[in-house]
Amino acid sequence: MGILDNGYIGIIITAIIIIVLISIFLRFVPVGLWVTAYFSGVKVGIGTLVGMRLRQVSPHSIIRPLIKATKAGLQLSTDELEAHYLAGGNVNAVIDALIASHRAEIDLEFEKAAAIDLAGRNVFEAVQVSVNPKVIVTPDIAAVAKDGIEIIAKAKVTVRANIERLVGGAGEDTIIARVGEGVVTTVGSAERHSDVLENPDMISQTVLGKGLDAGTAFEILSIDIADVDVGRNIGAKLQTEQAEADKNIAQAKAEERRSMAIAQEQEMRAETQKMRAKVVEAEAEVPMAMSEALRSGNLGVMDYYKMKNVNADTEMRTAISGQSTEEEE
């Protein structure tokens, strides 16, 4: 009985080991994926799938896109897809782009699509935009005509992706900036803002003729002016601001002249006081000179009294003259 029990235990252990080994094998070798690929017409060996595992490449990320490409009539190899996967690319997006371009009869090779994907662009979206053009709406663009009136315009730019220039070509921001520059230039060259309002098509025709899509990843098909509005009177505003600035300058210069005049007046008053001080100083020397003349005999007593009488007569006449002037006033 013990021998039988040991036999059963051995069989059970062997079965468990076999199941574990089969599980590991199926986990490491995607047999189900190989069967799917085989019946889908993709010839790939078990060794290739094992090699992908060893190279840390997900077989599903390679085989399923390859099945999709094969069904669409594309001839690709696992090495190409695996190389793109190891480079960090999106294999599925590249295959979708190749299928879409093949259906739309757009000449797009795998190397070109892979390069676009590795450059960070959505290659499938690029193919879609190449088939179905995209409309880019610019923000409000303000421009001023020669008569000083501001024009606010909004444009719709219809573009188509240029597959050949997707790598290294400028994006939508460049298109919007160039269109805005063209609108500003066109409106600025108009003599009157009414000319722009009467014929908005002049903006689109002029801007479209400038070749704004040079060096970009897009081809501009049309530029349509969606909205045109009249803004501020920039010319009048500038003239008003200039007049205000001129007035401030004139006031500053007038204030400067007034300050100079006040300073000059103060200087003249100081000079007058200085001269009066000299007069007082000179008058103070008169009695001393007269005293010296009396002592030296150059001036007699009678002469001194005559001079005093003359001074008194002069003061009296001055006083009378002052009273007469006040009465007249």
Side-chain angles (χ1 to χ4, degrees):
M1 192 69 178
I3 296 174
L4 293 175
D5 292 338
N6 291 333
Y8 284 128
I9 293 173
I11 294 173
I12 294 172
I13 293 174
T14 303
I16 293 173
I17 294 174
I18 293 173
I19 292 173
V20 171
L21 292 176
I22 293 174
S23 299
I24 294 174
F25 177 79
L26 294 177
R27 178 71 180 86
F28 194 76
V29 179
V31 178
L33 182 63
W34 175 81
V35 173
T36 303
Y38 181 80
F39 286 101
S40 299
V42 177
K43 306 302 181 181
V44 59
I46 295 293
T48 302
L49 298 178
V50 174
M52 291 182 185
R53 289 290 192 188
L54 295 175
R55 289 187 293 272
Q56 296 183 351
V57 176
S58 175
H60 290 80
S61 300
I62 302 299
I63 301 304
R64 292 191 183 279
L66 184 59
I67 293 173
K68 185 164 43 176
T70 303
K71 289 298 183 181
L74 301 177
Q75 299 298 325
L76 297 174
S77 65
T78 56
D79 291 337
E80 292 176 323
L81 301 184
E82 190 174 347
H84 186 63
Y85 179 87
L86 291 173
N90 190 335
V91 177
N92 195 57
V94 171
I95 295 302
D96 289 340
L98 290 174
I99 294 173
S101 62
H102 180 69
R103 292 287 187 267
E105 297 182 355
I106 297 175
D107 187 14
L108 179 63
E109 300 294 334
F110 175 80
E111 290 78 8
K112 187 68 175 180
I116 295 172
D117 182 62
L118 293 177
R121 294 187 180 274
N122 191 327
V123 60
F124 180 64
E125 181 181 352
V127 173
Q128 287 181 324
V129 175
S130 180
V131 176
N132 185 19
K134 178 180 180 181
V135 177
I136 301 175
V137 180
T138 65
D140 291 339
I141 304 170
V144 182
K146 290 184 178 180
D147 59 358
I149 304 299
E150 182 185 42
I151 296 295
I152 301 175
K154 179 181 292 185
K156 290 185 177 181
V157 186
T158 304
V159 298
R160 180 173 58 196
N162 191 326
I163 302 296
E164 298 298 326
R165 294 203 300 256
L166 276 177
V167 178
E172 294 183 13
D173 293 338
T174 302
I175 294 291
I176 294 175
R178 290 183 180 180
V179 170
E181 180 183 354
V183 171
V184 171
T185 302
T186 305
V187 175
S189 61
E191 294 294 334
R192 296 180 302 274
H193 73 283
S194 58
D195 296 339
V196 180
L197 296 177
E198 292 173 0
N199 187 17
D201 188 54
M202 65 181 293
I203 299 178
S204 58
Q205 291 178 355
T206 304
V207 175
L208 191 60
K210 291 181 177 293
L212 303 181
D213 54 2
T216 66
F218 300 96
E219 177 186 354
I220 297 179
L221 300 179
S222 67
I223 299 176
D224 304 308
I225 303 302
D227 188 20
V228 178
D229 293 325
V230 178
R232 300 166 295 172
N233 191 335
I234 302 298
K237 182 181 179 182
L238 293 177
Q239 291 177 357
T240 302
E241 292 177 354
Q242 184 62 44
E244 184 68 21
D246 294 340
K247 184 190 75 172
N248 293 334
I249 293 173
Q251 288 179 346
K253 291 183 177 179
E255 184 65 22
E256 181 182 1
R257 290 194 296 269
R258 187 179 73 86
S259 300
M260 293 179 63
I262 292 175
Q264 188 175 6
E265 180 183 2
Q266 296 296 329
E267 291 178 359
M268 294 303 295
R269 287 182 179 180
E271 190 69 22
T272 301
Q273 293 295 331
K274 182 179 179 181
M275 297 303 294
R276 286 179 180 176
K278 290 182 178 180
V279 171
V280 171
E281 183 181 0
E283 289 179 349
E285 294 179 356
V286 171
M288 296 175 63
M290 291 179 63
S291 175
E292 182 65 25
L294 287 173
R295 282 196 299 268
S296 62
N298 293 328
L299 180 65
V301 176
M302 295 304 297
D303 294 332
Y304 175 73
Y305 282 114
K306 287 181 180 179
M307 185 183 66
K308 294 289 287 182
N309 290 333
V310 171
N311 289 337
D313 184 59
T314 302
E315 291 177 357
M316 182 184 64
R317 292 177 183 274
T318 302
I320 294 172
S321 176
Q323 291 177 359
S324 300
T325 303
E326 290 178 359
E327 291 176 356
E328 290 178 357
E329 290 178 357

